[in-house]
Amino acid sequence: MPPQLKAEVNVMPKVVQGDLQSLPPEARHFIESNAKLCQPESIHICDGSEEENKKILDIMVEQGMIKKLSKYENCWLALTVPRDVARIESKTVIITQEQRDTTPIPRTGTSQLGRWMSEEDFEKAFNTRFPGCMQGRTMYVIPFSMGPIGSPLSKIGIELTDSPYVVASMRIMTRMGTAALKALSNGEFVKCLHSVGCPLPLKEPLINNWPCNPELTLIAHLPDRREIISFGSGYGGNSLLGKKCFALRIASRIAKEEGWLAEHMLILGITNPEGDKKYFAAAFPSACGKTNLAMMNPSLPGWKIECVGDDIAWMKFDEQGNLRAINPENGFFGVAPGTSVKTNPNAIKTIFKNTIFTNVAETSDGGVYWEGIDEPLPPGVTLTSWKNKDWTPDNGEPCAHPNSRFCTPASQCPIMDPAWESPEGVPIEGIIFGGRRPAGVPLVYEAFNWQHGVFIGAAMRSEATAAAEHKGKIIMHDPFAMRPFFGYNFGKYLAHWLSMAHRPAAKLPSIFHVNWFRKDSQGKFLWPGYGENSRVLEWMFNRIEGKASAKPTAIGYIPADTALNLKGLEDVNLTELFDISKEFWEKEVEEIKQYFEVQVNADLPYEIEREMLALEMRIKQL
């Protein structure tokens, strides 16, 4: 662990569940040294059982942290405080000896590709936060597996936390408990330490009975030591350390060292009417319908889509050269607003049992509600907002927080792929990048080759709602949809992706880019989206099979005139959907070039520079 102040009280707290002595020496040392530092009242080693889960939920009900939703089976509602509602990028850091190990050194300004903190600054931050931070609370020891237990692609972690909310959520999101401990035996594990930063007795009363310490929040990653240290936030992305912290930031660094990929990608299986099946991995920034695609009901007759995962993919080439992928998670931590029977019927069928909802609105009959749920309230049923106040549509603010969540077991999803927990993973034949681009970017195009595909991922941009001071929307760079999640220097990350082409016998997946969100001059979407997106997947599927026709353009291959199956669709303007405007793309090239020059600077691989120049030349010839 990091340097530690001598704890004033050097007494080991009592162990109320589990046997510390039976643990492997390194695990025991990790727990004991942090227990001496954080000084919890007791230690509880989690076994992941149903009985334990019931006790944890009871504790939270007693503390007022959650309430039971009487309308559903085993569903719960947690309301946080308004200052603890999302990941906080400004307080999420990576600690390495040199800044350049974490991010490229930008030509001007600060890096947008991660946040570095020096070892000295971290040591100070750690020592002002952790000594005595768990006083009066229980330290829960959560052994967990990212990925199916026993899979050669899986990794083990142990999270120490003083939050029962984290215990209940990690039980849904990971394979947690005794089985993970057994899988650890004497092997390596990622060390995760989390505290809400509210020792007892409290100095001031809690809001919503939600312990957190926003002033001192810090989420730190120490990749050289395989450690994650999080303080002050109870919110999922900052406290469920198996998720983005381990499965992307730390795992991407491990993947670089071990020769695989840890990516912010959904994984889906698609089967054609003849029964042939292919798996795709897809990277989208937030607000681009990632979970909707992972759980899509295809509109095309005879086609079937099944979900392997909706958020993270760990991918490694096997001895036969197939890129094998697992979903390291065990649950879905999905954004609730916008989820409805229309947008994602399979999510709706998944989330109404054994689920923890956070920061959604509550109906007076013991149910949940949010913007875009698309269901009228029954007569006489009223709403309480996520701020725990009576709510009506005249309130002028949303009833659910825009980042409110459901945390639900993946196994409940009606379209989970039969191989979603297969230890060897599923074979990926196509990789999809996408963004929300109202103008200029066609519905779908295919990369010319692997290097060009890596360039497309690096150049990803998407519309985002900007901070309040900029009114309206801006287009943001979000390479590989990994911008907030890179565990090391983005230039080196690109080189790692490019290196996959040099693996002996590697069957490199085809790479595509999609944009469901192009609009016409009246601001109307040109493409219906949702289940109709299966038509685009059909074209990709057939391209991989060598059956669909395509025509080359300046930016990649697009479907030939009749290659996209539009049967039964009316009023789709293909000319506008696939228009490649010289003026638009000259600006786009300029923006991408500028971003690479400033942000990636000296670390930009020459292959990406070459792709940039080649695109520029092709656009000039339009």
Side-chain angles (χ1 to χ4, degrees), residues 107 455 458-460 477 479 490 494 591-602 604 608-609 612:
R107 187 164 290 180
F455 167 77
M460 272 172 69
H477 293 271
F490 173 54
L494 286 174
E591 291 274 354
I592 296 163
K593 207 166 144 184
Q594 179 71 8
Y595 183 72
F596 287 165
E597 281 174 6
V598 173
Q599 285 294 322
V600 199
N601 198 0
L604 188 70
I608 299 296
E609 219 166 313
M612 184 81 249

Side-chain angles (χ1 to χ4, degrees), residues 508-521:
L508 296 170
S510 301
I511 297 179
F512 302 89
H513 187 283
V514 299
N515 172 30
W516 320 127
F517 302 98
R518 195 167 184 172
K519 292 178 177 175
D520 64 15
S521 51

Side-chain angles (χ1 to χ4, degrees), residues 23-31 186-189 191:
L23 299 182
E26 199 182 343
R28 193 166 75 232
H29 174 70
F30 171 59
I31 297 161
N186 270 319
E188 284 185 0
F189 62 96
K191 301 178 175 80

Side-chain angles (χ1 to χ4, degrees), residues 92-407:
T92 302
V93 297
I94 293 177
I95 290 97
T96 48
Q97 276 190 325
E98 302 295 328
Q99 180 176 347
R100 201 167 166 186
D101 295 332
T102 293
T103 65
I105 307 297
R107 187 164 290 180
T108 55
T110 55
S111 176
Q112 295 168 17
L113 291 161
R115 220 178 176 80
W116 177 72
M117 185 185 258
S118 71
E119 291 173 332
E120 298 70 37
D121 286 351
F122 174 67
E123 193 178 320
K124 281 184 213 137
F126 184 86
N127 287 332
T128 54
R129 285 164 174 79
F130 279 90
C133 67
M134 295 187 184
Q135 281 172 357
R137 298 188 180 277
T138 298
M139 174 190 274
Y140 297 98
V141 177
I142 308 173
F144 63 96
S145 176
M146 297 309 290
I149 287 180
S151 162
L153 295 167
S154 296
K155 301 279 177 196
I156 302 287
I158 295 178
E159 176 164 359
L160 311 179
T161 180
D162 51 10
S163 164
Y165 173 85
V166 169
V167 179
S169 303
M170 284 288 282
R171 183 174 184 264
I172 295 170
M173 291 306 300
T174 70
R175 284 97 177 156
M176 177 270 258
T178 308
L181 258 189
K182 281 186 185 144
L184 169 67
S185 63
N186 270 319
E188 284 185 0
F189 62 96
V190 172
K191 301 178 175 80
C192 307
L193 173 62
H194 168 256
S195 173
V196 291
C198 290
L200 298 173
L202 293 168
K203 293 193 175 72
E204 49 193 74
L206 297 176
I207 302 168
N208 285 345
N209 299 305
W210 181 263
C212 62
N213 189 338
E215 274 75 26
L216 290 177
T217 294
L218 183 68
I219 301 96
H221 305 73
L222 293 87
D224 294 327
R225 304 188 201 154
R226 307 283 191 256
E227 285 177 22
I228 302 159
I229 290 167
S230 171
F231 186 91
S233 170
Y235 167 77
N238 306 321
S239 66
L240 311 182
L241 301 185
K243 198 163 176 54
K244 308 294 196 197
C245 299
F246 179 164
L248 289 177
R249 296 190 194 98
I250 293 292
S252 64
R253 168 68 187 271
I254 297 174
K256 178 183 178 284
E257 291 169 19
E258 296 182 355
W260 49 282
L261 300 165
E263 299 299 326
H264 188 207
M265 291 181 175
L266 65 89
I267 307 166
L268 61 80
I270 178 163
T271 307
N272 71 8
E274 290 73 55
D276 302 321
K277 185 169 196 175
K278 295 191 185 305
Y279 289 96
F280 287 83
F284 294 91
S286 55
C288 289
K290 195 170 166 206
T291 302
N292 295 350
L293 181 62
M295 299 185 191
M296 184 209 295
N297 267 352
S299 61
L300 285 179
W303 286 78
K304 182 163 75 166
I305 285 182
E306 289 164 302
C307 177
V308 176
D310 78 324
D311 196 36
I312 297 171
W314 286 0
M315 303 185 285
K316 188 177 189 175
F317 284 102
D318 67 13
E319 284 170 13
Q320 287 72 47
N322 299 303
L323 185 61
R324 293 271 174 183
I326 61 166
N327 166 12
E329 300 191 291
N330 195 40
F332 302 126
F333 186 65
V335 174
T339 306
S340 70
V341 171
K342 180 190 172 221
T343 61
N344 195 335
N346 289 310
I348 293 290
K349 288 174 187 159
T350 305
I351 60 180
F352 292 116
K353 60 178 182 186
N354 306 317
T355 296
I356 300 170
F357 293 94
T358 302
N359 289 339
V360 300
E362 185 187 2
T363 61
S364 55
D365 61 350
V368 290
Y369 208 77
W370 49 75
E371 278 61 34
I373 198 167
D374 257 6
E375 283 191 20
L377 284 173
V381 171
T382 57
L383 283 183
T384 303
S385 78
W386 75 277
K387 292 181 175 172
N388 210 6
K389 296 189 174 119
D390 293 343
W391 188 90
T392 66
D394 316 330
N395 277 33
E397 58 176 22
C399 65
H401 187 274
N403 193 42
S404 55
R405 298 279 172 160
F406 52 78
C407 179

Side-chain angles (χ1 to χ4, degrees), residues 452-492:
H452 181 226
V454 174
F455 167 77
I456 289 170
M460 272 172 69
R461 303 173 72 214
S462 192
E463 183 182 72
T465 306
E469 65 264 23
H470 316 274
K471 300 294 175 217
K473 311 269 189 183
I474 53 169
I475 303 290
M476 303 211 10
H477 293 271
D478 193 351
F480 288 78
M482 280 283 283
R483 189 193 51 73
F485 309 121
F486 292 118
Y488 62 100
N489 179 312
F490 173 54
K492 303 281 184 283

